[in-house]
Amino acid sequence: MTRVAAQTVPEAPRPGMFSNARVHGDQFFLSGMHAGGPDGPVGGADAYAQAREAFRRVRALTEACGATVDDILVLRVYLTDIADRALVGRARSEVFAGDFPCSTLIEVSALVEPGLKVEIEAQGVVGSHSRT
């Protein structure tokens, strides 16, 4: 199993706690990506802006794994307010087209940092889209 990083995606604040992405064979696994930054969430309190940043990070890590977003087979989306699902859906539609990944949307009471509204976890198979 190989640990993967992307220059444009912040690493875990405490090294050794977890990996942002791992590849095992042709499978890739991404930890939950959010819009957290040293000065608070990218996009402030705007759920759409936070979702766009989380999806940007998902895309960057997916590509660092040698895949494309079309190779993502499963998404798990965590929201602190289910009423934001349309805003997250809007950001999602800017990333995916055609055959969409399987997905779960879950409302949670809080995320790892204050002010975060959305976190997105993904997994897939490198090159799976080109095989269909």
Side-chain angles (χ1 to χ4, degrees):
M1 198 167 329
T2 305
R3 184 175 176 275
V4 177
Q7 267 188 314
T8 62
V9 177
E11 285 293 315
R14 293 188 325 219
M17 291 297 295
F18 64 91
S19 299
N20 279 342
R22 301 285 302 260
V23 174
H24 181 70
D26 60 356
Q27 296 179 69
F28 62 95
F29 305 86
L30 286 99
S31 292
M33 291 293 109
H34 52 70
D39 300 320
V42 173
D46 183 336
Y48 169 70
Q50 284 193 29
R52 286 190 75 196
E53 176 61 15
F55 277 117
R56 184 198 67 75
R57 293 176 185 189
V58 165
R59 180 188 299 270
L61 285 167
T62 297
E63 291 172 356
C65 290
T68 71
V69 292
D70 292 328
D71 294 324
I72 294 173
L73 301 177
V74 178
L75 282 177
R76 288 174 202 87
V77 180
Y78 303 92
L79 292 175
T80 58
D81 185 348
I82 203 73
D84 290 333
R85 69 183 176 273
L87 297 170
V88 173
R90 185 172 138 213
R92 179 186 169 130
S93 70
E94 295 170 4
V95 177
F96 299 102
D99 290 333
F100 301 101
C102 298
S103 186
T104 300
L105 177 69
I106 305 160
E107 183 179 40
V108 296
S109 61
L111 294 170
V112 69
E113 295 174 13
L116 289 175
K117 294 180 172 248
V118 60
E119 186 165 331
I120 303 164
E121 181 182 356
Q123 65 188 76
V125 176
V126 177
S128 64
H129 181 61
S130 62
R131 293 183 218 157
T132 58

